[in-house]
Amino acid sequence: MTYVARLLTGTATVLALALPAAATEYRIAVRDGAGGTQEALGKAFVAALEEQSGGKMTGKLFLNGQLGDEQDTVTAAATGTLDFSILAINNITPFSPTVGTLTLPYVILSQDDAETITQGEIGQEMVDQTIEDAGVRIIGWGYSGFRVLTNSKRPVSTVEDLKGLVIRVPKNEIMIDTYKSWGINPTPMAWGETFAALQQKVVDGQDNPYMTVYAMKFDEVQKYITNLRYIFSIEPLIVSEALFESLSDEEQQQVLEAGKAATKASAEFLRSEESKIRDELVARGMEITEPANGEKEFIELATTNVWPQFYDQIGGKGELNKVLASLGRPAVD
Ligand code: MLT
C-alpha cells in the first residue's frame, strides 16, 4: 500500500516530514464534511506537497464550507483572496462553460471514463480553458462516483415516480434542464443551504454521490436512494492562478506533481471505499432502489433533450464528439 493510501485509510501513524518553521501554509477550502472524497483528495494533496517540497510548502484544509460556498470559492481564488479549493465540477461550469461537457448527462459512464477524460489530452485542454475563463487552475481531479438521487418521501424507480417531488439541484443549467427533461421543475440552490432545506422539508430530495451523502450526513434527513448514473461526479482541486504564477518554476512543478499524486490517491480511495460507504448508508436505514428498465427512460429523455441545448455553450458539438471518441463511443450527428 502506498504512503498516501495508508494515510487515507488511517493506518499511517505520523507524517513523514517534520516541517521547517518557515513552511508556507496554504488555505484549502473544502465544502463537504469529513469522510468523503473532498477531504481525502485534500489530505493526499497536502501529504504529497510536503513531500515534493521537502516540507517547504504545506496546506490546511478548512472543512464544512468555513471558507465559503463552492461557487464563491472560485471567485475568491480568481481574485487571489483564497489559495486552493476542492469543489464539484458542476460548480465550476458557471465560470467556465466548456467543462460542462463533464456535466452533460450520461457522457461519463464509469470511473474509468472519468479518469480517461480528466487525465488525458481533453482534461489538459479543460485545465487551460478554465485558467482563461475563470482565473483558476485545476491541478488535481477528485472522483466521487455517480450522483444518486435521494429523497425523504418514497422510493423512485421511474420518471413517473419523480412527479410531485421537489428536488434541489446546484445552480447549474445543465442539471436543471436534465430534471426538466424528466418532467419536473427542480429547485436550484447553493450547496451550503441544502442540508437545512432537506431537514426543514423545503425540498424533498437532491442528488449527490454516496460519498457525499455520507460526508454530509444526509442519511439523517433522507430515506430513499435511487441508484441513478446520470452524472459521474468529478471534484477538481483548483489553485488561484495568481498564486500559481507567483511561484518559482520549481515550486510550480512541485504543486503540479502533488496534484497528480492526489488525483491517483482519489481514484484509489473511491475504488476501495465507495461500496463500504454505500453499505454503511443502508445500515443507517437508507433504502436503495434501482431505476426501472436499466434507467432506459431517464437516459433517452436526458440525452435527446439536454445534449443539443448545450452544444454552443460547451464549444460546439465537436467538443462532445471529441470526448465520446476518446471513450470509444459513437459520435452524435
Ligand atoms: C453540489 O451538489 O452542489 C455539489 O456537487 C456538492 C459537492 O461538492 O459535494
Coordinates of all heavy atoms in Angstrom, one line a residue, residues 80-152:
G80 N -7.6 36.0 -5.9 CA -6.4 35.9 -5.1 C -6.6 36.0 -3.6 O -5.7 36.1 -2.8
T81 N -7.9 36.0 -3.1 CA -8.1 36.0 -1.7 C -8.2 34.6 -1.1 O -8.4 34.5 0.1 CB -9.4 36.8 -1.3 OG1 -10.5 36.2 -2.0 CG2 -9.3 38.3 -1.8
L82 N -8.2 33.6 -1.9 CA -8.1 32.2 -1.4 C -7.1 31.5 -2.2 O -6.9 31.8 -3.4 CB -9.5 31.6 -1.7 CG -9.6 30.1 -1.4 CD1 -9.5 29.8 0.1 CD2 -11.0 29.5 -1.8
D83 N -6.4 30.5 -1.6 CA -5.3 29.8 -2.3 C -5.8 28.6 -3.1 O -5.6 28.6 -4.3 CB -4.3 29.3 -1.2 CG -3.7 30.4 -0.3 OD1 -3.6 31.5 -0.8 OD2 -3.5 30.1 0.9
F84 N -6.5 27.7 -2.4 CA -6.9 26.5 -3.1 C -8.4 26.2 -2.7 O -8.8 26.6 -1.7 CB -6.1 25.3 -2.6 CG -4.6 25.3 -3.1 CD1 -3.7 26.0 -2.3 CD2 -4.2 24.6 -4.2 CE1 -2.3 25.9 -2.7 CE2 -2.9 24.5 -4.5 CZ -2.0 25.2 -3.8
S85 N -9.1 25.4 -3.6 CA -10.4 25.0 -3.2 C -10.6 23.6 -3.9 O -10.1 23.3 -4.9 CB -11.5 26.0 -3.7 OG -12.8 25.5 -3.4
I86 N -11.4 22.8 -3.2 CA -11.9 21.5 -3.7 C -13.4 21.6 -3.9 O -14.1 21.8 -2.9 CB -11.4 20.3 -2.8 CG1 -9.9 20.3 -2.7 CG2 -12.0 19.0 -3.3 CD1 -9.4 19.3 -1.6
L87 N -13.9 21.3 -5.1 CA -15.3 21.5 -5.3 C -15.8 20.7 -6.5 O -15.0 20.2 -7.3 CB -15.6 23.0 -5.5 CG -15.2 23.6 -6.8 CD1 -15.9 25.0 -7.0 CD2 -13.7 23.8 -7.0
A88 N -17.1 20.5 -6.5 CA -17.7 19.7 -7.6 C -17.6 20.4 -8.9 O -17.7 21.6 -9.0 CB -19.1 19.3 -7.3
I89 N -17.3 19.7 -10.0 CA -17.1 20.3 -11.3 C -18.3 21.1 -11.7 O -18.2 22.2 -12.4 CB -16.8 19.2 -12.4 CG1 -16.3 19.8 -13.7 CG2 -18.0 18.3 -12.7 CD1 -14.9 20.2 -13.7
N90 N -19.5 20.7 -11.3 CA -20.7 21.4 -11.7 C -20.8 22.8 -11.1 O -21.5 23.7 -11.6 CB -22.0 20.6 -11.3 CG -21.9 20.2 -9.8 OD1 -21.4 19.1 -9.6 ND2 -22.5 21.0 -8.9
N91 N -20.0 23.1 -10.1 CA -19.9 24.4 -9.5 C -18.8 25.2 -10.1 O -18.6 26.4 -9.8 CB -19.8 24.3 -8.0 CG -21.1 23.9 -7.4 OD1 -22.2 24.3 -7.9 ND2 -21.1 23.2 -6.3
I92 N -18.0 24.6 -11.1 CA -17.1 25.4 -11.9 C -17.7 25.8 -13.2 O -17.4 26.8 -13.8 CB -15.8 24.6 -12.1 CG1 -15.1 24.3 -10.8 CG2 -14.8 25.4 -13.0 CD1 -13.7 23.7 -10.9
T93 N -18.6 24.9 -13.7 CA -19.2 25.2 -15.0 C -19.8 26.6 -15.2 O -19.6 27.1 -16.3 CB -20.3 24.1 -15.3 OG1 -19.8 22.8 -14.9 CG2 -20.7 24.1 -16.7
P94 N -20.4 27.2 -14.2 CA -20.9 28.5 -14.5 C -19.8 29.5 -14.8 O -20.1 30.5 -15.5 CB -21.6 28.9 -13.2 CG -22.0 27.6 -12.5 CD -20.9 26.7 -12.9
F95 N -18.6 29.3 -14.4 CA -17.5 30.2 -14.7 C -16.7 29.8 -15.9 O -16.0 30.6 -16.5 CB -16.5 30.2 -13.5 CG -17.2 30.5 -12.2 CD1 -17.7 29.5 -11.4 CD2 -17.4 31.9 -11.8 CE1 -18.3 29.8 -10.2 CE2 -18.0 32.2 -10.7 CZ -18.5 31.2 -9.8
S96 N -16.8 28.5 -16.3 CA -16.0 28.0 -17.5 C -16.9 27.0 -18.2 O -16.8 25.8 -17.9 CB -14.7 27.4 -17.0 OG -13.9 27.1 -18.1
P97 N -17.7 27.4 -19.1 CA -18.8 26.5 -19.7 C -18.2 25.3 -20.4 O -18.9 24.3 -20.4 CB -19.5 27.4 -20.7 CG -19.2 28.8 -20.3 CD -17.9 28.8 -19.6
T98 N -17.0 25.3 -20.9 CA -16.5 24.1 -21.6 C -16.4 22.9 -20.7 O -16.5 21.8 -21.2 CB -15.1 24.4 -22.3 OG1 -14.3 25.1 -21.4 CG2 -15.3 25.0 -23.6
V99 N -16.2 23.1 -19.4 CA -16.1 21.9 -18.5 C -17.5 21.3 -18.4 O -17.7 20.2 -17.8 CB -15.4 22.1 -17.1 CG1 -14.0 22.5 -17.3 CG2 -16.2 23.2 -16.3
G100 N -18.5 22.0 -18.9 CA -19.9 21.5 -18.9 C -20.0 20.1 -19.6 O -20.9 19.4 -19.3
T101 N -19.1 19.8 -20.5 CA -19.1 18.5 -21.1 C -19.1 17.4 -20.1 O -19.7 16.3 -20.3 CB -17.9 18.3 -22.1 OG1 -17.7 19.6 -22.7 CG2 -18.1 17.2 -23.1
L102 N -18.4 17.7 -19.0 CA -18.3 16.7 -17.9 C -19.6 16.6 -17.1 O -19.7 15.7 -16.3 CB -17.1 17.0 -17.0 CG -15.7 17.1 -17.7 CD1 -14.7 17.4 -16.6 CD2 -15.4 15.7 -18.3
T103 N -20.4 17.5 -17.3 CA -21.7 17.5 -16.5 C -22.9 17.1 -17.4 O -24.0 16.9 -16.9 CB -22.0 18.9 -15.9 OG1 -20.8 19.5 -15.5 CG2 -22.9 18.9 -14.7
L104 N -22.6 16.9 -18.7 CA -23.8 16.5 -19.6 C -24.2 15.1 -19.1 O -23.3 14.2 -18.9 CB -23.3 16.4 -21.0 CG -23.3 17.8 -21.8 CD1 -22.9 17.5 -23.2 CD2 -24.7 18.4 -21.8
P105 N -25.5 14.9 -19.0 CA -25.9 13.6 -18.5 C -25.5 12.4 -19.4 O -25.6 12.5 -20.6 CB -27.5 13.7 -18.5 CG -27.8 14.9 -19.4 CD -26.6 15.8 -19.3
Y106 N -25.1 11.4 -18.8 CA -24.8 10.1 -19.4 C -23.6 10.2 -20.4 O -23.6 9.4 -21.4 CB -26.0 9.5 -20.1 CG -27.1 9.2 -19.0 CD1 -28.2 10.1 -19.0 CD2 -27.0 8.2 -18.1 CE1 -29.2 9.9 -18.0 CE2 -28.0 8.0 -17.1 CZ -29.1 8.9 -17.1 OH -30.0 8.7 -16.2
V107 N -22.7 11.1 -20.2 CA -21.5 11.2 -21.1 C -20.4 10.3 -20.4 O -19.8 9.4 -21.0 CB -21.0 12.6 -21.2 CG1 -19.6 12.6 -21.8 CG2 -21.9 13.4 -22.2
I108 N -20.2 10.4 -19.1 CA -19.2 9.6 -18.4 C -20.0 8.4 -17.8 O -20.9 8.6 -16.9 CB -18.5 10.4 -17.3 CG1 -17.8 11.6 -18.0 CG2 -17.6 9.6 -16.4 CD1 -17.1 12.5 -17.0
L109 N -19.6 7.2 -18.2 CA -20.4 6.1 -17.8 C -19.7 5.2 -16.8 O -20.2 4.1 -16.4 CB -20.8 5.3 -19.0 CG -21.7 6.0 -20.0 CD1 -22.0 5.1 -21.2 CD2 -23.0 6.6 -19.4
S110 N -18.5 5.6 -16.4 CA -17.8 4.7 -15.4 C -16.6 5.5 -14.8 O -16.2 6.6 -15.3 CB -17.2 3.5 -16.1 OG -16.2 3.9 -17.0
Q111 N -16.0 5.0 -13.7 CA -14.8 5.7 -13.2 C -13.7 5.7 -14.2 O -12.9 6.6 -14.3 CB -14.4 5.0 -11.9 CG -13.2 5.7 -11.3 CD -12.8 5.2 -9.9 OE1 -13.5 4.4 -9.2 NE2 -11.6 5.6 -9.4
D112 N -13.6 4.6 -15.0 CA -12.5 4.5 -16.0 C -12.7 5.7 -17.0 O -11.8 6.3 -17.4 CB -12.6 3.2 -16.8 CG -11.9 2.1 -15.9 OD1 -11.3 2.4 -14.9 OD2 -12.1 0.9 -16.3
D113 N -14.0 5.9 -17.4 CA -14.3 7.0 -18.3 C -13.8 8.3 -17.7 O -13.1 9.2 -18.4 CB -15.8 7.2 -18.6 CG -16.3 6.2 -19.6 OD1 -15.5 5.3 -20.1 OD2 -17.5 6.2 -19.9
A114 N -14.1 8.5 -16.5 CA -13.8 9.8 -15.8 C -12.3 10.0 -15.8 O -11.8 11.1 -16.0 CB -14.4 9.8 -14.4
E115 N -11.6 8.9 -15.5 CA -10.1 9.0 -15.4 C -9.5 9.3 -16.8 O -8.6 10.1 -16.9 CB -9.5 7.8 -14.7 CG -9.8 7.7 -13.3 CD -9.1 6.6 -12.6 OE1 -7.8 6.6 -12.6 OE2 -9.8 5.7 -12.1
T116 N -10.0 8.6 -17.8 CA -9.5 8.7 -19.1 C -9.6 10.2 -19.6 O -8.7 10.7 -20.1 CB -10.3 7.8 -20.1 OG1 -10.2 6.5 -19.7 CG2 -9.8 7.9 -21.5
I117 N -10.8 10.7 -19.4 CA -11.0 12.1 -19.9 C -10.2 13.1 -19.1 O -9.4 13.9 -19.7 CB -12.5 12.5 -19.8 CG1 -13.3 11.7 -20.8 CG2 -12.7 14.0 -20.2 CD1 -14.8 11.9 -20.7
T118 N -10.3 13.1 -17.8 CA -9.6 14.1 -17.0 C -8.1 14.0 -17.0 O -7.4 15.1 -17.0 CB -10.1 14.1 -15.5 OG1 -9.9 12.7 -15.0 CG2 -11.5 14.5 -15.4
Q119 N -7.5 12.8 -17.1 CA -6.1 12.7 -17.1 C -5.4 12.7 -18.4 O -4.2 12.6 -18.6 CB -5.7 11.4 -16.3 CG -6.1 11.5 -14.8 CD -5.8 10.2 -14.1 OE1 -4.8 9.5 -14.3 NE2 -6.7 9.9 -13.2
G120 N -6.2 12.8 -19.5 CA -5.7 12.8 -20.9 C -5.6 14.2 -21.5 O -5.8 15.2 -20.8
E121 N -5.5 14.2 -22.8 CA -5.4 15.5 -23.6 C -6.6 16.4 -23.3 O -6.5 17.6 -23.2 CB -5.3 15.1 -25.0 CG -4.5 16.0 -25.9 CD -4.5 15.4 -27.3 OE1 -3.9 14.4 -27.5 OE2 -5.1 16.1 -28.2
I122 N -7.8 15.8 -23.3 CA -9.0 16.6 -23.2 C -9.0 17.3 -21.8 O -9.4 18.5 -21.7 CB -10.3 15.7 -23.3 CG1 -10.3 15.3 -24.8 CG2 -11.5 16.5 -23.0 CD1 -11.4 14.3 -25.1
G123 N -8.6 16.6 -20.8 CA -8.5 17.1 -19.4 C -7.6 18.3 -19.4 O -7.9 19.4 -18.9
Q124 N -6.4 18.2 -20.1 CA -5.5 19.3 -20.2 C -6.1 20.5 -20.9 O -5.9 21.7 -20.5 CB -4.2 18.8 -20.8 CG -3.0 19.8 -20.7 CD -2.8 20.3 -19.3 OE1 -2.6 19.5 -18.4 NE2 -2.7 21.6 -19.1
E125 N -6.8 20.3 -22.0 CA -7.5 21.4 -22.7 C -8.4 22.1 -21.7 O -8.6 23.3 -21.7 CB -8.2 20.9 -23.9 CG -7.3 20.6 -25.1 CD -8.1 19.9 -26.2 OE1 -9.3 19.9 -26.3 OE2 -7.4 19.2 -27.0
M126 N -9.1 21.3 -20.9 CA -10.1 21.9 -20.0 C -9.4 22.7 -18.9 O -9.8 23.8 -18.5 CB -11.0 20.8 -19.3 CG -12.0 20.3 -20.3 SD -13.0 19.0 -19.5 CE -14.1 18.6 -20.9
V127 N -8.2 22.2 -18.5 CA -7.4 23.0 -17.5 C -7.1 24.3 -18.1 O -7.2 25.4 -17.5 CB -6.1 22.2 -17.1 CG1 -5.2 23.1 -16.3 CG2 -6.4 20.9 -16.4
D128 N -6.6 24.3 -19.3 CA -6.1 25.6 -20.0 C -7.3 26.5 -20.2 O -7.2 27.7 -19.9 CB -5.5 25.3 -21.4 CG -4.2 24.4 -21.2 OD1 -3.7 24.4 -20.1 OD2 -3.8 23.8 -22.2
Q129 N -8.4 26.0 -20.6 CA -9.6 26.8 -20.8 C -10.1 27.4 -19.5 O -10.5 28.6 -19.4 CB -10.7 26.0 -21.5 CG -11.9 26.7 -22.0 CD -11.4 27.7 -23.1 OE1 -10.7 27.3 -24.0 NE2 -11.9 29.0 -23.0
T130 N -10.1 26.7 -18.4 CA -10.6 27.2 -17.1 C -9.7 28.3 -16.6 O -10.1 29.2 -16.0 CB -10.6 26.0 -16.1 OG1 -11.4 25.0 -16.7 CG2 -11.3 26.4 -14.8
I131 N -8.4 28.2 -16.9 CA -7.5 29.3 -16.4 C -7.9 30.6 -17.2 O -8.1 31.6 -16.6 CB -6.0 29.0 -16.8 CG1 -5.5 27.8 -16.0 CG2 -5.1 30.2 -16.6 CD1 -4.2 27.2 -16.5
E132 N -8.2 30.4 -18.5 CA -8.5 31.6 -19.3 C -9.9 32.2 -18.8 O -10.1 33.3 -18.7 CB -8.6 31.1 -20.7 CG -8.3 32.3 -21.7 CD -8.3 31.7 -23.1 OE1 -7.5 30.7 -23.4 OE2 -9.1 32.2 -23.9
D133 N -10.9 31.3 -18.7 CA -12.2 31.7 -18.4 C -12.4 32.2 -16.9 O -13.1 33.1 -16.7 CB -13.2 30.6 -18.5 CG -13.4 30.1 -20.0 OD1 -13.0 30.9 -20.9 OD2 -13.9 29.0 -20.2
A134 N -11.8 31.4 -16.0 CA -12.1 31.6 -14.6 C -11.0 32.1 -13.7 O -11.2 32.4 -12.5 CB -12.7 30.3 -14.0
G135 N -9.8 32.1 -14.2 CA -8.6 32.6 -13.4 C -8.2 31.6 -12.3 O -7.6 31.9 -11.3
V136 N -8.6 30.3 -12.5 CA -8.2 29.3 -11.6 C -7.6 28.1 -12.4 O -8.0 27.9 -13.5 CB -9.3 28.8 -10.7 CG1 -9.9 29.9 -9.8 CG2 -10.5 28.2 -11.5
R137 N -6.7 27.4 -11.8 CA -6.0 26.3 -12.5 C -6.4 24.9 -11.8 O -6.2 24.8 -10.5 CB -4.5 26.5 -12.4 CG -3.7 25.3 -13.0 CD -2.2 25.6 -12.9 NE -1.8 26.8 -13.7 CZ -1.1 26.7 -14.8 NH1 -0.8 25.5 -15.3 NH2 -0.8 27.8 -15.5
I138 N -6.9 24.0 -12.5 CA -7.2 22.7 -12.0 C -5.9 21.9 -11.9 O -5.2 21.7 -12.9 CB -8.2 21.9 -12.9 CG1 -9.6 22.7 -12.9 CG2 -8.4 20.5 -12.3 CD1 -10.5 22.1 -14.0
I139 N -5.5 21.5 -10.7 CA -4.2 20.8 -10.6 C -4.4 19.4 -10.1 O -3.5 18.6 -10.1 CB -3.2 21.5 -9.6 CG1 -3.9 21.7 -8.3 CG2 -2.7 22.8 -10.2 CD1 -2.9 21.9 -7.2
G140 N -5.6 19.0 -9.8 CA -5.9 17.6 -9.4 C -7.4 17.3 -9.6 O -8.2 18.2 -9.7
W141 N -7.6 16.0 -9.8 CA -9.0 15.6 -10.0 C -9.4 14.6 -9.0 O -8.8 13.6 -8.7 CB -9.1 14.9 -11.4 CG -8.7 15.8 -12.6 CD1 -7.4 15.8 -13.2 CD2 -9.5 16.7 -13.3 NE1 -7.4 16.7 -14.2 CE2 -8.7 17.2 -14.4 CE3 -10.8 17.1 -13.2 CZ2 -9.1 18.2 -15.3 CZ3 -11.3 18.0 -14.2 CH2 -10.4 18.6 -15.2
G142 N -10.6 14.9 -8.3 CA -11.1 14.0 -7.3 C -12.3 13.3 -8.0 O -13.0 13.8 -8.9
Y143 N -12.5 12.0 -7.6 CA -13.5 11.2 -8.2 C -14.5 10.8 -7.1 O -14.1 10.1 -6.2 CB -12.9 10.0 -8.9 CG -11.9 10.4 -9.9 CD1 -10.5 10.3 -9.6 CD2 -12.2 10.9 -11.2 CE1 -9.5 10.7 -10.6 CE2 -11.3 11.3 -12.1 CZ -9.9 11.2 -11.8 OH -9.0 11.6 -12.7
S144 N -15.8 11.1 -7.3 CA -16.7 10.8 -6.2 C -17.7 9.8 -6.5 O -18.5 9.4 -5.6 CB -17.5 12.1 -5.8 OG -16.8 13.0 -5.2
G145 N -17.8 9.4 -7.8 CA -18.8 8.4 -8.1 C -20.1 9.0 -8.7 O -20.2 10.3 -8.8
F146 N -21.1 8.2 -9.0 CA -22.3 8.7 -9.7 C -23.1 9.5 -8.7 O -23.2 9.1 -7.5 CB -23.1 7.6 -10.3 CG -22.5 7.0 -11.5 CD1 -21.8 5.8 -11.5 CD2 -22.5 7.7 -12.7 CE1 -21.2 5.3 -12.6 CE2 -21.8 7.2 -13.8 CZ -21.2 6.0 -13.8
R147 N -23.8 10.5 -9.2 CA -24.7 11.2 -8.3 C -26.0 10.5 -8.2 O -26.8 10.4 -9.2 CB -25.0 12.6 -8.9 CG -23.7 13.5 -9.0 CD -24.1 14.9 -9.5 NE -24.8 15.7 -8.6 CZ -24.4 16.7 -8.0 NH1 -23.1 17.1 -8.1 NH2 -25.1 17.5 -7.2
V148 N -26.3 9.9 -7.1 CA -27.5 9.2 -6.9 C -28.6 10.1 -6.3 O -28.3 11.1 -5.7 CB -27.4 8.0 -5.9 CG1 -26.4 6.9 -6.6 CG2 -26.8 8.4 -4.6
L149 N -29.8 9.8 -6.6 CA -30.9 10.7 -6.2 C -31.4 10.3 -4.8 O -31.6 9.1 -4.5 CB -32.1 10.6 -7.2 CG -33.4 11.3 -6.8 CD1 -33.2 12.8 -6.9 CD2 -34.5 10.8 -7.7
T150 N -31.5 11.2 -3.9 CA -32.1 10.8 -2.5 C -33.4 11.7 -2.3 O -33.5 12.7 -2.9 CB -31.1 11.2 -1.4 OG1 -31.0 12.6 -1.2 CG2 -29.7 10.5 -1.6
N151 N -34.3 11.1 -1.5 CA -35.5 11.9 -1.1 C -36.1 11.3 0.2 O -35.7 10.2 0.6 CB -36.5 11.9 -2.3 CG -37.4 10.8 -2.3 OD1 -38.5 10.8 -1.7 ND2 -37.1 9.7 -3.0
S152 N -36.9 12.1 0.8 CA -37.5 11.7 2.1 C -38.9 11.1 2.0 O -39.5 10.8 3.0 CB -37.5 12.9 3.0 OG -38.2 14.0 2.4

